[in-house]
Every structure is written in structure tokens, then in C-alpha cells.
Amino acid sequence: MPKFAHLGLAITLLLVGINTEVMAAAPQVKTQAPGFYRMMLGDFEITALNDGTRELPVDKLLKERQPGQVLRALQHAYLGLPLETSFNGFLINTGAKLVLVDSGGGSNLGPTLGRLITNLKAAGYQPEQVDEVYITHLHSDHISGVLSEGKAAFPNATLRMDQREADFWLSEENAAKVAEGARGTFTNARAAVKPYQEAGRFKPFEGDAKTGVELVPGIRALSTYGHTPGHSVYLVESKGQKLAVWGDLMHVAAVQLPDPTVTISFDSDASLAQPQREKAMADAAEKGYYVALAHSSFPGIGRLRPDGKGYVWLPPNYSSKP
């Protein structure tokens, strides 16, 4: 072999080794896919929109029935503490109206939230296309996303919620009754609603706990007072298929599905919130319709099946059909 052949072979092997090392060391991307999930409900298109996640000390927030109940339930579901919790909204295209249920936390709740509009755009829509925004209740993680830099984030939308909810949280008199450090929800609610009020596009409705109130064809608001004074569930129906957008009837599925009696410190009246949850769970399990959860792991859509004194969660079968 010529005396330079060994040198050439060594250089070739070195270059191959370098290229292989470069290919093997591709940097990790470390970003999640856009936070939207789409399914059809009869003729209606349902798009779940993630506003982000936030770690919550749910063992301190939930009112467990026995010591260690929350931790045991989380461990059974392969979850830990603090619990990384999803914040979800739901976009409904009826073919005639584009309706958003709950808007996320906007810029009020830290850098890990406030992504709903980004994900709405990733899902193929623009905020200007939204016709109606329905709010389950006026806690900041559900209402603050309607506001963007002091202006309406959905400039052509009508903002709707139960009149009882509006009366409570938009009242300066009620805000004055609580400690100054606890007035944030009142302040955020008034700021979020203000541009819609000024534009004449704020239209609360009188709640109904029996048959609900039809807001647009195929969508009804059902009064479920307890978590807040005017909490509402939105019932969506098309061609015999049904989905109930529950808002905050349930917060931690891993704990409250097996034991629906567990309440949370965020409830305005836990003695009312608990039976509302139990009634809603029983109805959904009996009739087999979908529910959509604000704080269940994204996309937060599924069905319930009875399991002893509680329920198991059945997510929808994934479909790539248009």
C-alpha cells in the first residue's frame, strides 16, 4: 500500500466520525405542538384550545375526605405534586356562528398561561372571526383572555354570561366587602368586561337551572350555581350528539372522578358546588355524552363511565378525518 494511503484512510475515517457525531447530537427542540385539538359533534366543529399549564399545590387546595387521599389518588394516576394543570377553552363552529367558551387567563396569571389566542390562530381562526364569547364564570383564568392590552381581544364578539355572575363580580360594593388582597378577581373581571360594555356588546342572560337558556341554535346555558354565584355550563347539541362544557364543576380529574364529593377551596359555596358536580357526572355517565373540562389534561374532552362510587374517564377515539 502506498505510504500516503494510510494517511488518506485515517482522514476519511476521522471525517466520517465527525459527521456521525454531528448528526447524533441534534439539539432537542423542547417546545410543545400547537395546543389545539379538533373533533366533530354532529354538524358542529369543536376545537379545544389550550391556554397553557400551571403547577398547582392541589393537595392544599382540595378538601380531602381522609388524610393523604389526594396524594394517593395522584400516585394511582402516575401524577405528582405540584400538579401541572391544564387551562382549556373551547371553540364551537356551528356553521352559522363561531362561539368561544372561556378565554383563559390572558396576561394576568403569569408567563405559562395566556396562549389561547396563539393556539386559536394555529387552529386556523382569527380573533376577529369570533361571534360570541360565553363565560362559565368570572374567575380570572376564564375571563381575562377577552382582554388584550386594555382592548377587546375579540373585537367583533358579544360577551355573555349569567346575569347573577355579572352582578356579583362586577359589583364594587361586593369587592369592598372582602380583604384588599382578595379583590383581584373583582378587579380583573371589571377590566375584562369594560371594553365590551362600552361597545354595547356585553349581554348577560337570565339563568335557568332546568332547561337552560338557548343563546344560539344548538347551544344552551344551564345554571349550575355553587363554584361561583352564577356559574354556568354550556350544552352543545347537533344531530343527536351532545357535549357539556363544564367550566369549573371539576378541577382535578384524578381525585374527583373516583370521589366526586371532594371539593376545592376556590368554591364560593362548596355545599352547592358538590351536588352540582355529582348531578352533572351522573347525567353524563347515564346518557353517554361528551364533557369538556377546563382543567383536565388537555384537550380535556371525554366521556364518563360509572366505576363503583365514582367514574372512569374515556377520551374520544382520535380521528384524522376532515
Side-chain angles (χ1 to χ4, degrees), residues 201-212:
R201 290 186 286 105
F202 177 56
K203 297 182 179 179
F205 52 82
E206 292 295 332
D208 188 310
K210 294 182 178 180
T211 61

Side-chain angles (χ1 to χ4, degrees), residues 130-248:
V130 176
D131 297 301
E132 312 250 327
V133 178
Y134 301 156
I135 301 299
T136 59
H137 63 294
L138 281 171
H139 282 169
S140 297
D141 56 316
H142 295 258
I143 182 60
S144 293
V146 303
L147 193 66
S148 177
E149 297 181 350
K151 298 180 180 179
F154 304 97
N156 299 313
T158 298
L159 182 64
R160 310 206 69 185
M161 64 193 67
D162 191 295
Q163 183 69 61
R164 185 169 172 173
E165 185 75 356
D167 289 344
F168 181 82
W169 294 107
L170 301 181
S171 166
E172 293 187 14
E173 181 180 349
N174 286 341
K177 294 177 182 178
V178 302
E180 186 173 353
R183 295 175 187 170
T185 300
F186 293 91
T187 301
N188 291 341
R190 288 198 300 270
V193 168
K194 183 179 179 182
Y196 297 87
Q197 287 177 315
E198 292 176 344
R201 290 186 286 105
F202 177 56
K203 297 182 179 179
F205 52 82
E206 292 295 332
D208 188 310
K210 294 182 178 180
T211 61
V213 179
E214 185 176 72
L215 302 178
V216 296
I219 304 180
R220 290 179 293 136
L222 185 70
S223 302
T224 51
Y225 305 154
H227 176 63
T228 60
H231 187 281
S232 297
V233 161
Y234 294 95
L235 305 175
V236 186
E237 297 184 70
S238 175
K239 286 197 168 181
Q241 296 187 42
K242 180 176 175 179
L243 177 143
V245 184
W246 274 4
D248 276 5

